[in-house]
Amino acid sequence: MFRTALRNVFAHKARLLMTVLAVMLGVAFVSGSLVFTNTLSNALQNSSAKGFAHVDVAVRASYQDAEGDKVGRVSELTQAVLDDSARVPGAESALGVVGGFTAIADRDGKLIGDGFSTLGGNYWGTEDPRYPLVSGEAPRGEGEILIDSRTAERSGYAVGDTVRLSVNGPVLTPKITGIFTTDDGTVAAGGSLALFDTPTAQKLFGTPGTFEEIDVKARPGVSEATLKKQLDEALPKGLVETTTGGQLADEQAELIAESMSGMKQGLLVFAGIALFVGTFIIANTFTMLVAQRTKELALMRAVGASRRQVTRSVLIEAFAVGTVAAVTGLAAGVGIGALLRSLMDTMGATVPAGPLVVTWQTVAAALAVGILITMLAAWLPGRRAAKIPPVAAMSSVHAAATTKSLVVRNVLGALFTGGGVAVVLAATTMGGSDGQAPMGLGAGLLIIGVFILTPLLSRPLIAAAGPVLRVFGVAGKLARQNAVRNPRRTAATASALMIGLTLITGMTVMASSLATSIDKMASAAIKADYVVSMANGNALSPDVGEKLRAAEGVTAASPMRGGISRVDERTEYLTGVDGPAFGELTDLRVRDGAFRIGGTDVVVDGDTAGKHDWRAGSSFTVSYGDGEKQRLTVAGVYEGNDMLRGILLDNATLSPHLSEPSDMLVMVKTADGASDAAEDVLREALGTNPAIKIQTKQDLSEEIASMFTLLLNMLYGLLAMAVIVAVLGVINTLAMSVFERSQEIGMLRAVGLDRRGVKRMVRLESLVISLFGGVLGIGLGVFFGWAAGELVGTSMPTYELVLPWGRMAVFLLLAAVVGILAALWPARRAARLNMLEAIKAE
């Protein structure tokens, strides 16, 4: 039986090729995902380890602990602590570290980097071991800086140039005295790093004479543990903490591994989708192979082979196919991992240098996935073939599915589909997070149910295409009949494409709806022309609002200032605004009372009012952060959203209770509305500060929408793998169908159907099957998009369903293209059949 199974594999090489390709692509995606994430993680860890090469022990200030949270420093790392650290017997050197946010402008005045990755620090002495100089010399005084080589290359800056930068304050214009290299992962990811001399960095980022960290290098022959022990004995106990460089590297490696786990899981999810789609192809292929060899298997049963041996022979074939696919998929996966890394470099996300990492876990996963998936998919066809009585198989009376089996299948499919729809609909009535798990369960049940029902659905849906197919004459009529002749095979072929398009359509509906809802939220809630904020998300200085209010053409401006309080034993966040101007800058719908802010009059959103049972005219006592209490009155209740919510009160009321007032953002309205000229005026009023971001309502919407667009484009690319596998499934099914119908095609040729007609028949059959899968996929995708939107709508009042008709039409067109392309080779093969040999074929 083993030799027979292997002989069958080699006898049907062409027929099994598509199955090998389908499994190989899925395995390649799995192994490629693992290789890529392991390589990236290893490169980042090695780069991070280089950053700790000069640190044997790091000294940091201890923090006051409140219920497990670090609240504030117990002490400062002063020059005295640095000197004490340098004097311990095992220390070769000690240097102080200071750093923080630093925004550098390019030659056009625009911010380099994205704000969160634009950093600054100190250069120690005249030769800092952390930052080797490429050119120039160390900075001296407030008017000199160093910049990293990547930033210099991107911006075109060179030694001697003057740059504009800001460190949470006024614009500075220092001269570049040198350029350095660094392994800092933030810089490698597209950020920037500027270095000042130590006194200047202390003044800009902290307190003069103090450090954030002290890095101590051990003398040759002194271990990290020994040095740490000496520092613990020499430094004030309870006021500082010491950590070895190895511990720092391990902590960083753990953080990197955790950050990479999300990416790895995401890529593996899509690899799983590709494998899931490929499973249909494998099962379909082995079902047809077994059906074509029915008489052969029956003869084997007649001469003494048992059911178990027949099943085993099919599984041996699957094992051989799976092994070949797994090995080739692993090799392709290594190539995919290298390609993904190169693509990151091309897109500007620089990855530190390092070798490709192929672990034994990756090899084991590739082999296990390829072989197990193939054998599991082949088990059912093999078991079904073994159960056929030898006499029935030789007479082919087994070929048609019994009425009972079809009824059982349809009843089972209806139960799964009905249950899935019911669970999804129930999930839409729940809260956002509560409904996620039921929604996922319902979606899974519904997809399984539709897959089971697909043979039943194929007849009426394909029949609906009959009038169009009649236009193509006999070829069209034959194509329709061929498509519904074996509904199970048609269903398995169409389902592969259906799953891919369901996911693509569902995500597109969600992304389009969210983008529209966010835009609606911004336009509905904000009447201001501009929103001004810090590029890194930090708070603005209070003088920003004053400068904007005094700028030419500004008719209204209001900073939004945050504060914390206690109301009715609950923590409530307060938002301070300019009461008289805020009404001109926003357009919030008032449910109850009036939108009046000033003195002790405040407005609250509906959710907050509901929690405290407030309405217009209600009074409550607020306890501010400084311990002071005040009686406030609810003047009105408004409808909040993700941009504006909570208790709004006048800044004149809130600010006296804040130790250091700072603004989250400033809203600005100008006389002539948003324009380039108005933006230039605002930018100049703020000293053309690269650290400050000035955005219109449209900019805000586009910034948020761009996140969805980027994610959607990435998902499109990943799901393309599932579509490619689906294409292979259509090709495989058609090729085998042509082989099965060789005699029939020969007869059609003999009675007058020319080669062009045969090609047209096969192409139309492929087109109909693909469009059938496309219609099902788009329909399910719209339903899932609507259902997921209902969950989102519970926390986003402006959410509304938007159906992207244009994109859905493109998806349907894509399904048609898939059908046409998939039919090219099978149609050509069918047309080239010799009619006499085909008629004699069995």
Side-chain angles (χ1 to χ4, degrees):
M1 292 300 294
F2 180 76
R3 289 197 300 272
T4 302
L6 291 182
R7 213 177 291 124
N8 283 325
V9 171
F10 291 113
H12 304 119
K13 292 188 290 290
R15 279 181 263 171
L16 290 170
L17 177 62
M18 295 300 172
T19 301
V20 170
L21 284 174
V23 181
M24 184 200 77
L25 283 173
V27 172
F29 208 160
V30 171
S31 54
S33 301
L34 294 173
V35 168
F36 171 65
T37 52
N38 289 337
T39 297
L40 187 57
S41 179
N42 181 69
L44 291 173
Q45 287 175 13
N46 289 341
S47 175
S48 174
K50 289 179 184 176
F52 296 115
H54 65 282
V55 185
D56 287 317
V57 178
V59 180
R60 296 168 177 168
S62 294
Y63 283 83
Q64 180 181 0
D65 189 78
E67 299 179 1
D69 296 326
K70 290 183 177 180
V71 178
R73 289 189 179 191
V74 174
S75 66
E76 297 287 346
L77 297 180
T78 62
Q79 184 66 37
V81 178
L82 175 64
D83 294 340
D84 290 342
S85 301
R87 281 195 290 263
V88 300
E92 180 179 62
S93 63
L95 58 86
V97 178
V98 186
F101 168 66
T102 301
I104 305 176
D106 61 18
R107 293 186 180 277
D108 296 325
K110 303 295 186 183
L111 176 68
I112 297 175
D114 61 5
F116 293 96
S117 58
T118 55
L119 304 175
N122 68 308
Y123 189 83
W124 189 256
T126 57
E127 190 175 346
D128 194 323
R130 300 171 298 170
Y131 308 113
L133 285 174
V134 176
S135 60
E137 59 185 19
R140 292 187 298 271
E142 296 184 8
E144 297 182 352
I145 65 162
L146 304 178
I147 63 171
D148 68 273
S149 55
R150 288 191 177 95
T151 299
E153 183 180 347
R154 283 186 295 161
S155 62
Y157 285 133
V159 174
D161 289 343
T162 298
V163 298
R164 296 177 61 82
L165 59 83
S166 175
V167 182
N168 284 335
V171 174
L172 306 175
T173 54
K175 184 175 74 172
I176 299 172
T177 62
I179 295 172
F180 63 92
T181 60
T182 177
D183 292 314
D184 190 292
T186 305
V187 176
S192 63
L193 180 60
L195 300 178
F196 305 83
D197 69 350
T198 299
T200 302
Q202 288 175 324
K203 178 181 175 182
L204 292 172
F205 300 120
T207 305
T210 66
F211 305 96
E212 293 177 0
E213 180 178 305
I214 295 172
D215 293 340
V216 186
K217 182 74 175 173
R219 293 181 185 276
V222 178
S223 68
E224 290 183 346
T226 301
L227 179 59
K228 181 179 185 301
K229 182 179 179 181
Q230 292 176 356
L231 287 167
D232 287 338
E233 292 173 352
L235 298 178
K237 291 180 173 55
L239 300 181
V240 298
E241 300 172 347
T242 57
T243 309
T244 65
Q247 289 174 325
L248 291 174
D250 291 342
E251 289 173 7
Q252 191 68 20
E254 188 176 338
L255 289 174
I256 291 171
E258 287 178 5
S259 66
M260 295 300 300
S261 65
M263 179 187 292
K264 182 184 291 187
Q265 289 172 5
L267 289 171
L268 289 177
V269 164
F270 289 96
I273 292 170
L275 284 170
F276 183 57
V277 172
T279 302
F280 291 114
I281 301 173
I282 301 165
N284 213 16
T285 300
F286 277 93
T287 297
M288 288 187 282
L289 284 174
V290 168
Q292 290 169 10
R293 300 208 319 268
T294 298
K295 291 187 178 180
E296 174 190 327
L297 294 174
L299 183 60
M300 291 171 62
R301 289 286 313 283
V303 297
S306 66
R307 288 185 177 183
R308 184 173 296 176
Q309 286 177 311
V310 170
T311 303
R312 193 179 301 153
S313 71
V314 175
L315 291 178
I316 291 171
E317 287 184 54
F319 176 80
V321 170
T323 302
V324 172
V327 171
T328 54
L330 175 62
V334 174
I336 288 175
L339 178 62
L340 287 173
R341 177 174 169 169
S342 299
L343 284 175
M344 287 194 72
D345 288 334
T346 304
M347 293 186 296
T350 308
V351 179
L356 281 177
V357 178
V358 184
T359 63
W360 70 266
Q361 292 96 332
T362 300
V363 175
L367 294 175
V369 166
I371 295 171
L372 289 178
I373 290 291
T374 308
M375 292 184 70
L376 285 173
W379 175 75
L380 189 60
R383 184 171 176 272
R384 191 184 298 131
K387 292 174 68 176
I388 300 170
V391 176
M394 287 190 211
S395 61
S396 296
V397 298
H398 69 288
T402 64
T403 303
K404 180 182 178 181
S405 70
L406 292 175
V407 170
V408 170
R409 177 176 182 135
N410 293 339
V411 169
L412 192 62
L415 290 174
F416 271 96
T417 302
V421 170
V423 173
V424 168
L425 291 178
T428 60
T429 64
M430 302 178 184
S433 57
D434 295 336
Q436 289 176 3
M439 181 74 71
L441 174 63
L445 291 173
L446 180 54
I447 288 178
I448 293 172
V450 171
F451 169 67
I452 296 173
L453 285 178
T454 306
L456 180 66
L457 298 172
S458 65
R459 290 185 178 276
L461 288 178
I462 292 177
V468 178
L469 292 174
R470 289 195 195 100
V471 175
F472 298 95
V474 174
K477 182 179 180 181
L478 291 171
R480 186 184 67 80
Q481 291 175 346
N482 290 334
V484 297
R485 176 182 298 180
N486 192 332
R488 291 187 176 184
R489 184 191 304 163
T490 298
T493 306
S495 294
L497 193 58
M498 176 192 78
I499 292 169
L501 285 177
T502 295
L503 295 169
I504 290 174
T505 304
M507 289 186 298
T508 303
V509 170
M510 277 294 298
S512 301
S513 301
L514 283 171
T516 301
S517 302
I518 290 165
D519 186 62
K520 182 179 177 183
M521 181 190 301
S523 60
I526 301 175
K527 288 196 293 186
D529 297 314
Y530 293 100
V531 174
V532 180
S533 60
M534 285 292 288
N536 65 340
N538 286 353
L540 290 163
S541 171
D543 66 346
V544 171
E546 297 301 324
K547 291 178 180 179
L548 290 170
R549 192 176 286 112
E552 181 183 352
V554 172
T555 59
S558 172
M560 293 183 66
R561 191 166 295 170
I564 194 169
S565 70
R566 296 285 292 177
V567 179
D568 297 340
E569 302 304 319
R570 291 183 180 181
T571 299
E572 292 290 352
Y573 291 93
L574 308 174
T575 302
V577 299
D578 186 329
F582 200 67
E584 299 179 46
L585 299 166
T586 58
D587 188 17
L588 297 171
R589 183 183 170 198
V590 179
R591 294 184 186 175
D592 183 23
F595 196 86
R596 185 175 65 254
I597 302 174
T600 59
D601 286 341
V602 302
V603 293
V604 298
D605 70 296
D607 290 341
T608 304
K611 283 192 302 182
H612 294 278
D613 196 25
W614 293 337
R615 57 186 58 83
S618 298
S619 294
F620 62 93
T621 300
V622 60
S623 296
Y624 295 107
D626 62 355
E628 294 290 327
K629 295 185 178 181
Q630 188 175 18
R631 194 73 177 167
L632 301 177
T633 302
V634 178
V637 178
Y638 67 93
E639 288 188 2
N641 54 51
D642 286 346
M643 292 186 174
L644 295 169
R645 62 174 57 194
I647 302 173
L648 304 180
L649 70 165
D650 194 83
N651 274 325
T653 304
L654 174 64
S655 296
H657 303 285
L658 302 177
S659 57
E660 295 181 4
S662 58
D663 301 326
M664 298 175 285
L665 55 88
V666 180
M667 291 187 182
V668 180
K669 190 171 183 61
T670 58
D672 299 323
S675 66
D676 291 340
E679 184 175 337
D680 290 340
V681 169
L682 298 182
R683 201 171 294 280
E684 289 175 12
L686 299 174
T688 318
N689 193 326
I692 296 177
K693 185 165 55 175
I694 301 174
Q695 295 176 293
T696 63
K697 290 187 292 184
Q698 188 62 32
D699 292 336
L700 283 172
S701 297
E702 289 177 357
E703 183 179 60
I704 300 172
S706 65
M707 301 175 190
F708 295 111
T709 304
L710 177 63
L711 179 62
L712 194 62
N713 289 337
M714 290 175 60
L715 295 178
Y716 282 163
L718 294 170
L719 285 171
M721 182 68 71
V723 175
I724 292 172
V725 175
V727 171
L728 292 175
V730 178
I731 296 173
N732 206 20
T733 298
L734 289 174
M736 292 190 143
S737 179
V738 167
F739 179 84
E740 277 187 347
R741 301 204 307 266
S742 295
Q743 189 176 58
E744 175 189 321
I745 292 171
M747 290 295 294
L748 290 171
R749 290 289 315 283
V751 297
L753 188 65
D754 59 12
R755 289 187 174 180
R756 183 178 296 178
V758 171
K759 285 184 179 180
R760 186 178 298 149
M761 175 185 71
V762 175
R763 288 171 184 162
L764 289 173
E765 179 183 351
S766 175
L767 180 64
V768 166
I769 292 174
S770 297
L771 286 176
F772 169 56
V775 168
L776 285 181
I778 292 172
L780 282 174
V782 169
F783 177 71
F784 290 141
W786 165 82
E790 290 296 300
L791 283 184
V792 173
T794 59
S795 58
M796 184 182 285
T798 57
Y799 182 85
E800 63 174 286
L801 179 67
V802 175
L803 295 181
W805 295 105
R807 289 197 181 188
M808 289 195 295
V810 170
F811 296 155
L812 195 60
L813 180 63
L814 174 66
V817 171
V818 164
I820 293 170
L821 293 178
L824 291 178
W825 177 62
R828 185 169 177 268
R829 185 166 179 259
R832 295 179 64 184
L833 285 175
N834 183 294
M835 67 176 73
L836 294 179
E837 291 181 0
I839 291 171
K840 291 189 295 180
E842 294 186 6

